[in-house]
Amino acid sequence: HHAMQFLRLPPKLVRRLLLWPLPILLLVVYVVAVPLLLIATFVFSYLLPGKLRALRTVGLVTLYVFTEAAVIVIGFVLWVASGFGWKVRSPAFVTAHYWLMRWALKVLVGGGSKLFSLTIAREARGEASAGKENGPLIIMARHAGPADSLLLMHEVMSDYGLRPRIIVKDLLQLDPAFDLLLNRLPNRFIPSRKTSHPPDTVALIADLATGMGELDAFVIFPEGGNFTEKRRIRAIERLRESGHQAAVERAQALRNVLPPRPAGTLAAMEAAPGADAVFVAHTGLDNISSIDDLWFELPLDNVLKVAWFRIPAAEMPATPEDREELLFRAWEGIDEWVEENRDDEAALELRD
C-alpha cells in the first residue's frame, strides 16, 4: 500500500502501446518456459511447507496470464468489430464486454478455487436469492482486500446475472485487462494519489448510480478501505473530532470492520430510489492484500463464507438520517457475522 502511493498512472497512449501487449508477450514466454518451470516447481513444492503450494501458485499465475492475454485479444477483436471503437460503448458492445468480464472472473475464481481446494459457502437472507435479472441493486460490501473484491464481482455477475458499476482507484488501470474492461464499461476512477484538485467522489457516485435498469448493480465499499487497526483508530478519531460522540462509542465496539462512511452510500440511494439494498459480509481471504500474500496467506482446503442480506426498495427508510442509521446497524451486524464465521486459526493479521 505504501509503494502504491509513489506510483503514477502512465498516460492512456503509453498504457495502450506498452502495457497492453505485455500479457500476450508474457504468455508466449510462459509457454516456452513451462517444462523447466514445472520441474523447478515440483522440486520447490517438496522442499517447502504446504501441500504442493508452489505448484498450486504456479497454476494460479498460469490462469492469470492466460486470462490477461485472452481479454486483450478478445477486447481488440471487439474494438475492430465496433468500427475501430466507433460503437464500442453501444448497448450491444457493452453487453459483449460484460460477457468478457464475467468469463474472466469465472476462470480466475473458479480455477483458483479448484487449485487451492476452496469452497465458497453462500448464505442468502431476505430476497437475496430471488433469482437472476432482479436489479437494480445497491450492493454495500465489507472491504477486505482485492481477493474478496474479485470474489464479490464474480458473485454479482455469475450467480446473480447482474452488471456491476463500481468506482475504483485509477492505479487499477496498470493491469491491462482491467484497464480495457473498466474503461469500456460504466465505471469511474478516482486518483490513488493526493491531487490539488481532487474529484467530487460523492458526485461521481451519484452520477454512476443514476439510470440503472433491472440488469444493473451499483457496488460500493462504505468503509473506503481495507480494515486495519490503524485505519480503525483514525476513523474513530475523525468521528471524535467531528463531535459525533455516540458514533464514536458505536465505532469502538466494531472489531472486524471500519465504521462506514455514509455520504457516498446515501448519494447512491438518492440517485437510485427504485433500487433494492443488499449488504454483503464475507470472510476467508481477509489476509490477502498484495502479491506476496498469495504465497504466505492463501489458505488450502478452506471455506470462503459469503452472506447476502437484501432489503426491498419499498422497505427502505425515507430520510437520510434513517438510512444512515440502517447502514451503521448493518455494519454492526456484519461485524458480528465476521466474528462468528471467521476461522480463528487464520485470524486477521492487522496491517497498515
Side-chain angles (χ1 to χ4, degrees):
H1 293 299
H2 291 301
M4 290 183 68
Q5 295 176 4
F6 299 99
L7 288 174
R8 289 184 181 274
L9 185 69
K12 181 186 293 186
L13 184 61
V14 173
R15 301 201 309 272
R16 301 297 187 269
L17 295 178
L18 297 182
L19 295 184
W20 283 26
L22 281 181
I24 300 171
L25 296 175
L26 183 58
L27 181 62
V28 172
V29 174
Y30 202 81
V31 169
V32 173
V34 157
L36 291 176
L37 188 62
L38 286 176
I39 293 172
T41 301
F42 269 113
V43 172
F44 279 111
S45 289
Y46 282 105
L47 293 177
L48 295 172
K51 301 175 183 178
L52 299 179
R53 181 175 289 271
L55 188 61
R56 295 171 191 261
T57 304
V58 167
L60 186 61
V61 172
T62 303
L63 276 179
Y64 175 75
V65 172
F66 166 76
T67 305
E68 284 275 322
V71 167
I72 294 299
V73 171
I74 298 173
F76 177 74
V77 172
L78 290 173
W79 179 76
V80 172
S82 69
F84 299 96
W86 179 40
K87 290 190 175 182
V88 76
R89 287 182 174 81
S90 66
F93 282 95
V94 166
T95 298
H97 282 85
Y98 269 123
W99 171 88
L100 180 56
M101 185 176 179
R102 182 182 296 113
W103 172 83
L105 289 171
K106 185 174 290 188
V107 170
L108 290 173
V109 174
S113 298
K114 287 182 174 62
L115 280 168
F116 287 86
S117 302
L118 304 179
T119 302
I120 301 176
R122 299 172 180 85
E123 175 186 351
R125 301 179 184 178
E127 298 180 10
S129 56
K132 297 187 176 183
E133 300 183 9
N134 56 345
L137 302 180
I138 296 175
I139 298 176
M140 293 151 281
R142 175 195 179 212
H143 206 346
D148 271 329
S149 300
L150 284 177
L151 177 63
L152 173 64
M153 301 301 284
H154 171 261
E155 292 261 331
V156 170
M157 300 195 77
S158 293
D159 295 334
Y160 292 92
L162 297 175
R163 308 186 303 187
R165 302 181 179 190
I166 189 170
I167 291 181
V168 295
K169 295 293 181 66
D170 59 359
L171 285 181
L172 198 58
Q173 296 170 100
L174 290 172
D175 182 292
F178 282 120
D179 191 9
L180 186 153
L181 289 170
L182 294 179
N183 274 294
R184 293 185 186 176
L185 294 171
N187 304 288
R188 299 290 186 275
F189 296 94
I190 56 174
S192 301
R193 299 165 56 92
K194 291 183 179 180
T195 62
S196 55
H197 300 287
D200 186 343
T201 305
V202 174
L204 284 178
I205 290 172
D207 177 59
L208 192 55
T210 301
M212 292 195 296
E214 66 176 11
L215 291 174
D216 298 313
F218 180 82
V219 180
I220 187 170
F221 300 94
E223 292 164 280
N226 298 333
F227 177 87
T228 68
E229 184 61 22
K230 287 187 177 180
R231 284 179 179 164
R232 174 180 173 273
I233 293 171
R234 285 199 297 266
I236 292 172
E237 286 302 316
R238 279 196 300 267
L239 290 172
R240 182 175 286 112
E241 290 170 2
S242 60
H244 295 91
Q245 188 55 38
V248 167
E249 295 175 2
R250 294 176 74 176
Q252 287 175 328
L254 299 176
R255 295 158 291 181
N256 306 288
V257 296
L258 302 175
R261 300 182 179 184
T265 302
L266 296 181
M269 291 178 178
E270 183 70 23
D276 292 358
V278 177
F279 297 97
V280 183
H282 47 72
T283 186
L285 294 177
D286 310 68
N287 293 7
I288 300 174
S289 59
S290 62
I291 296 298
D292 60 334
D293 290 339
L294 287 174
W295 175 265
F296 292 106
E297 305 290 353
L298 194 58
L300 294 173
D301 306 308
N302 198 23
V303 177
L304 312 182
K305 299 178 182 178
V306 185
W308 294 61
F309 183 81
R310 181 170 182 167
I311 301 177
E315 298 178 14
M316 287 292 293
T319 68
E321 293 78 14
D322 288 342
R323 289 177 177 179
E324 182 175 347
E325 172 63 19
L326 173 67
L327 176 63
F328 213 112
R329 284 172 53 200
W331 240 247
E332 290 171 332
I334 288 174
D335 182 61
E336 293 179 8
W337 183 92
V338 172
E339 188 70 22
E340 293 170 0
N341 288 274
R342 194 180 62 206
D343 184 356
D344 290 337
E345 294 181 2
L348 280 174
E349 179 181 341
L350 303 179
R351 304 179 178 186
D352 185 26

